[in-house]
Amino acid sequence: MQNIGLAARKPAKGEQPDQYSQAPEQDKTSADIETKPGPATDIYQIGSILYFLITRRTFSGGALPRFYNQAVSPQLNAAIIHAVMRQPAERWSDMEAFATALRQSIE
């Protein structure tokens, strides 16, 4: 989780990027993404970590969290999927909006 909050920072000497929670805009091979890493990248990374914690699988653009874990509410499912959208502009507008959606999904 060393990447969280530091999405625009390059790994320090000896550090490796976390390939499993890496946002598409951090992947040099994603030619369809022109946005530089920023707050939307952190949102993606947290969504990816939540996906893993709930499903025990890394997010790869595949199945919804509910597919692997039926206890996931539709609201939590939607909040996580919105966070890991491929295009940064399609993700939550900011961390506060994401946090609100997460809080509402468990109330």
Side-chain angles (χ1 to χ4, degrees), residues 2 17-18 21 27 33 36-38 47 54 64 66 72-73 75-77 79 81-83 87-88 90 96-97 100 106:
Q2 64 192 6
D18 182 354
S21 64
D27 183 359
I33 310 278
K36 293 185 188 282
I54 289 170
L64 301 174
R66 280 188 65 127
V72 174
S73 71
Q75 296 84 0
L76 180 57
N77 192 67
I81 292 303
H82 194 78
Q87 295 292 337
E90 295 175 353
E96 187 172 339
T100 298
I106 59 172

Side-chain angles (χ1 to χ4, degrees), residues 74-96:
Q75 296 84 0
L76 180 57
N77 192 67
I80 293 171
I81 292 303
H82 194 78
V84 294
M85 298 297 290
R86 182 163 175 75
Q87 295 292 337
E90 295 175 353
R91 297 179 200 144
W92 293 103
S93 58
D94 55 37
M95 196 62 75
E96 187 172 339

Side-chain angles (χ1 to χ4, degrees), residues 6 9 20-21 28 39 48 57 66-67 85 96-97 100:
L6 303 171
R9 177 179 74 84
Y20 300 110
S21 64
K28 304 284 188 239
S48 177
R57 290 171 169 77
R66 280 188 65 127
F67 179 80
M85 298 297 290
E96 187 172 339
T100 298

Side-chain angles (χ1 to χ4, degrees), residues 22-87:
Q22 189 176 44
E25 61 270 20
Q26 293 177 293
D27 183 359
K28 304 284 188 239
T29 63
S30 295
D32 63 320
I33 310 278
E34 295 182 9
T35 305
K36 293 185 188 282
T41 307
D42 292 336
I43 291 169
Y44 182 97
Q45 291 173 331
I46 291 173
S48 177
I49 291 166
L50 287 173
Y51 185 95
F52 178 80
L53 291 172
I54 289 170
T55 67
R56 297 185 187 170
R57 290 171 169 77
T58 56
F59 179 74
S60 61
L64 301 174
R66 280 188 65 127
F67 179 80
Y68 297 115
N69 184 341
Q70 296 299 309
V72 174
S73 71
Q75 296 84 0
L76 180 57
N77 192 67
I80 293 171
I81 292 303
H82 194 78
V84 294
M85 298 297 290
R86 182 163 175 75
Q87 295 292 337

